[in-house]
Amino acid sequence: MTDIGFDGQVAIVTGAGHGLGRQHALALAARGARVVVNDLGGTVDGSGSDTGPAQQVADEISAAGGEAVADTSSEASQQGGEAIVRTAVDAFGRVDIVINNAGILRDKAFHNMEPDLMNPVFDVHLKGAFHVTQPAWVIMREKGYGRIISTSSAAGIFGNFGQTNYGAAKAGLVGFTRVL
């Protein structure tokens, strides 16, 4: 059996400052990928920002002999998604892999759910995947190669109390990724 390798490939991982995204970034780098570690560095509910988490993971990859750059753009806007992809192209000249992993939580029982709890979750999880994937997709189509991976959740398939917004965004992300 051969080892899985990504030598020479460039991966963008959103939400890579902590948790599953961090593990994606470290695993890709350990297998030879050059990684854009994207993380706004906000709190779990998406407020605030901090360059620390993305830079710490990029530094960890570099210390282990890999290549990585930190990016703190927000995938929640078209400009932010384009900036993330531009970081990859400026640093490494290409994009081969996008892992849409960024996420926030704004949990509330449905009868207490307000648009200000719904919209930011959609903006990060679902629209964020669109904003990052579309400019990367153009590059991937031109060269005839690319991989898109999106982190979803059982909450999007089975539901979970208090997560109408999160579950809907994650279910949408499944449909988005399947269509691609």
Side-chain angles (χ1 to χ4, degrees), residues 44-144:
V44 171
D45 74 357
S47 60
S49 64
D50 179 6
T51 59
Q55 191 60 57
Q56 288 170 355
V57 175
D59 290 346
E60 187 175 350
I61 290 169
S62 296
E67 293 183 66
V69 294
D71 179 277
T72 58
S73 303
S74 173
E75 68 287 326
S77 72
Q78 179 180 354
Q79 296 81 11
E82 290 170 352
I84 295 165
V85 174
R86 192 170 32 260
T87 295
V89 172
D90 289 350
F92 304 120
R94 58 191 287 167
V95 178
D96 301 289
I97 302 164
V98 172
I99 299 184
N100 295 304
N101 179 74
I104 63 171
L105 296 173
R106 298 211 176 161
D107 297 353
K108 274 286 191 215
F110 182 68
H111 62 276
N112 293 321
M113 185 65 62
E114 298 286 338
D116 66 329
L117 299 174
M118 255 344 228
N119 293 329
V121 173
F122 290 168
D123 289 346
V124 171
H125 291 270
L126 185 54
K127 292 179 183 177
F130 173 82
H131 294 313
V132 175
T133 302
Q134 191 170 51
W137 188 267
V138 171
I139 295 166
M140 292 173 178
R141 277 196 62 180
E142 286 175 0
K143 67 180 180 172

